[in-house]
Amino acid sequence: MPQTKYDVVIDDKDKADKLVADTENVAGVKWVNVNLGNCIVVTHDDSYDEAAFKSAAGI
């Protein structure tokens, strides 16, 4: 499955948990991994709606 990386700094676990909860139901998203202080990695299928993900994530 393809992955997309976003270089976004999230430095708080509660914020990371909220981001996952807000984005895990976006079309095509299979898994959202927030690496605290570093980046977000989204595992997705071909139906991934990047614009919807970015909107839901606030990036």
Side-chain angles (χ1 to χ4, degrees):
M1 259 186 215
Q3 294 183 315
T4 301
K5 178 183 172 192
Y6 300 98
D7 293 321
V8 177
V9 175
I10 306 287
D11 56 2
D12 179 88
K13 185 178 179 329
D14 290 335
K15 289 179 184 176
D17 291 343
K18 182 175 179 348
L19 188 142
V20 170
D22 290 348
T23 59
E24 65 188 354
N25 292 319
V26 171
V29 171
K30 300 301 179 189
W31 181 263
V32 179
N33 184 18
V34 179
N35 296 309
L36 290 178
N38 191 0
C39 65
I40 302 165
V41 178
V42 183
T43 303
H44 54 83
D45 63 23
D46 291 337
S47 67
Y48 177 55
D49 186 342
E50 184 173 19
F53 179 85
K54 286 182 171 181
S55 177
I59 57 174

